Amino acid sequence: MKFTKLLPAIALLIASNSAHAAYQLNISIALNPQDPIAVALQDAQQAIEERSEGELTVQIFPNSQLGSDEDVVEQIRSGANIAILIDAGRLSEYQPELGILSAPYLVEDHRDYEQITTSPLYLEWVEGLAETSGLRLINYNWFQGSRQMLTQNEVEAPEDLSGVRVRTINSPVWVKTIQAMGATPTPLPWSEVYSALQLGSIDGAEAQLTAAEGQNLHEVITHIALTNHIHLMTGIATSEQWYQSLPDELRAILDEELLKAGEAASQATEDAQASVRERMEAAGVTFTEVDMDVFRDRVASVYEELGYSQYREQLLTGE
């Protein structure tokens, strides 16, 4: 069933739930309910509703229940009271410069993003995004994990990815990154990756370990190369129209609790990496350490091709 056919039902659901509170925010995530990010959002939901005394309620829709990210973003831009957990690569369609936040090997550690997201340049882009697209990026501090290469055959070097069809996110910075790493980028919705691997329509995927385990990808791949090519930081984006309709006190509660939840989720995600790897290895997946400098050199061209080189130093120095 196409997403467009679901819109009336979703609108009715949102409207009926909103009848019990002055304001409601419906949050869409592609992750499963057990993911550290989903758990942190559930805690934020409780805190927001308690602090606002029920005036602002939150409902979480995991596993892309509201549709693909692209469909949800269009609903948000139309003013719907929906938010989405999203990476900057997808937002670059509306504010091109933001794509650098999803660029390969941008930072050495995900904590370095705090310097980036407090820089004047980043804050200028956030306002530009709101003005031109109707998307309000509330925060950008949700670390989902470092992206690794999941394949059927062992990958030690870029040459091993030649001809390998790898699922990635459908945005220029992601597609060009996977292409530069040596593989054939194949954009697909996250919910379709398991079946695509099972049927052989793709040969691999690139993903963070927690999300890969959440989709049981260890059942349909045999190798994981620890490329760490992108430290996947994401943010919560909602409708600028809806966001500005909130009273100041409710907007402050929303901002504070979602920021706090992002920090908690990031720490939980980091803490989960070792145990996820152990479970995957027990299931028969082989992990391979690679020379990341080789891959880093291969993807340097992405910054030039997309015009990001001029922004990198400004973001990392906070100027």
Side-chain angles (χ1 to χ4, degrees), residues 33-169:
Q34 288 73 46
D35 190 275
I37 284 179
V39 173
L41 276 173
Q42 292 162 17
D43 292 340
Q45 173 185 19
Q46 182 176 350
I48 290 167
E49 293 178 357
E50 287 179 355
R51 287 185 60 189
S52 70
E53 298 181 344
E55 191 174 358
L56 173 57
T57 60
V58 175
Q59 188 163 359
I60 302 163
F61 293 85
N63 294 322
S64 300
Q65 291 175 6
L66 296 184
S68 70
D69 286 353
E70 290 79 7
D71 288 329
V72 173
V73 166
E74 286 309 306
Q75 288 299 296
I76 293 171
R77 294 186 66 208
S78 297
N81 56 327
I82 303 174
I84 186 170
L85 184 73
I86 194 168
D87 73 278
R90 287 189 174 97
L91 294 176
S92 67
E93 178 180 345
Y94 310 100
Q95 185 73 28
E97 299 89 346
L98 278 171
I100 191 174
L101 273 68
S102 293
Y105 301 108
L106 174 65
V107 295
E108 294 297 323
D109 187 280
H110 75 272
R111 296 175 188 82
D112 296 334
Y113 273 92
E114 184 175 358
Q115 178 72 51
I116 291 174
T117 56
T118 55
S119 69
L121 187 58
Y122 167 82
L123 297 174
E124 177 184 319
W125 293 341
V126 168
E127 292 306 316
L129 178 71
E131 291 172 11
T132 60
S133 72
L135 292 168
R136 166 58 60 177
L137 189 54
I138 297 177
N139 57 40
Y140 202 80
N141 70 325
W142 299 76
F143 178 54
Q144 293 195 32
S146 300
R147 302 287 275 203
Q148 318 296 356
M149 197 63 70
L150 288 64
T151 57
Q152 305 296 2
N153 299 308
E154 185 175 22
V155 171
E156 295 182 302
E159 291 73 23
D160 298 325
L161 289 170
S162 179
V164 178
R165 296 164 299 176
V166 171
R167 181 272 173 184
T168 190
I169 292 171

Side-chain angles (χ1 to χ4, degrees), residues 9-299:
I10 291 171
L12 179 61
L13 171 67
I14 292 173
S16 63
N17 286 333
S18 297
H20 302 292
Y23 300 92
Q24 176 165 331
L25 181 62
N26 303 277
I27 302 179
S28 174
I29 61 174
L31 305 167
N32 73 68
Q34 288 73 46
D35 190 275
I37 284 179
V39 173
L41 276 173
Q42 292 162 17
D43 292 340
Q45 173 185 19
Q46 182 176 350
I48 290 167
E49 293 178 357
E50 287 179 355
R51 287 185 60 189
S52 70
E53 298 181 344
E55 191 174 358
L56 173 57
T57 60
V58 175
Q59 188 163 359
I60 302 163
F61 293 85
N63 294 322
S64 300
Q65 291 175 6
L66 296 184
S68 70
D69 286 353
E70 290 79 7
D71 288 329
V72 173
V73 166
E74 286 309 306
Q75 288 299 296
I76 293 171
R77 294 186 66 208
S78 297
N81 56 327
I82 303 174
I84 186 170
L85 184 73
I86 194 168
D87 73 278
R90 287 189 174 97
L91 294 176
S92 67
E93 178 180 345
Y94 310 100
Q95 185 73 28
E97 299 89 346
L98 278 171
I100 191 174
L101 273 68
S102 293
Y105 301 108
L106 174 65
V107 295
E108 294 297 323
D109 187 280
H110 75 272
R111 296 175 188 82
D112 296 334
Y113 273 92
E114 184 175 358
Q115 178 72 51
I116 291 174
T117 56
T118 55
S119 69
L121 187 58
Y122 167 82
L123 297 174
E124 177 184 319
W125 293 341
V126 168
E127 292 306 316
L129 178 71
E131 291 172 11
T132 60
S133 72
L135 292 168
R136 166 58 60 177
L137 189 54
I138 297 177
N139 57 40
Y140 202 80
N141 70 325
W142 299 76
F143 178 54
Q144 293 195 32
S146 300
R147 302 287 275 203
Q148 318 296 356
M149 197 63 70
L150 288 64
T151 57
Q152 305 296 2
N153 299 308
E154 185 175 22
V155 171
E156 295 182 302
E159 291 73 23
D160 298 325
L161 289 170
S162 179
V164 178
R165 296 164 299 176
V166 171
R167 181 272 173 184
T168 190
I169 292 171
N170 189 19
S171 75
V173 64
W174 289 89
V175 169
K176 287 185 179 296
T177 295
I178 301 311
Q179 192 171 46
M181 290 177 74
T184 300
T186 308
L188 280 176
W190 179 241
S191 58
E192 297 177 13
V193 175
Y194 184 100
S195 59
L197 285 166
Q198 192 174 44
L199 295 171
S201 54
I202 57 174
D203 307 307
E206 50 92 29
Q208 63 275 20
L209 296 185
T210 49
E213 183 185 43
Q215 288 289 85
N216 296 314
L217 297 190
H218 53 280
E219 298 176 353
V220 287
I221 55 97
T222 56
H223 289 79
I224 295 180
L226 297 171
T227 52
N228 292 297
H229 50 280
I230 293 173
H231 296 304
L232 181 57
M233 192 68 75
T234 50
I236 300 285
T238 191
S239 161
E240 171 71 351
Q241 177 182 334
W242 178 84
Y243 183 79
Q244 295 301 337
S245 76
L246 288 176
D248 291 345
E249 62 272 19
L250 293 185
R251 197 181 306 138
I253 290 171
L254 183 68
D255 289 351
E256 291 165 12
E257 294 302 332
L258 287 180
L259 186 68
K260 188 188 303 181
E263 293 169 356
S266 297
Q267 187 60 56
T269 296
E270 185 175 9
D271 294 343
Q273 301 304 302
S275 58
V276 173
R277 175 173 175 171
E278 287 177 5
R279 289 193 293 271
M280 285 186 162
E281 286 178 325
V285 176
T286 299
F287 283 73
T288 302
E289 302 283 347
V290 302
D291 184 348
M292 283 188 285
D293 287 338
V294 174
F295 285 96
R296 186 179 284 107
D297 290 343
R298 287 288 296 261
V299 301

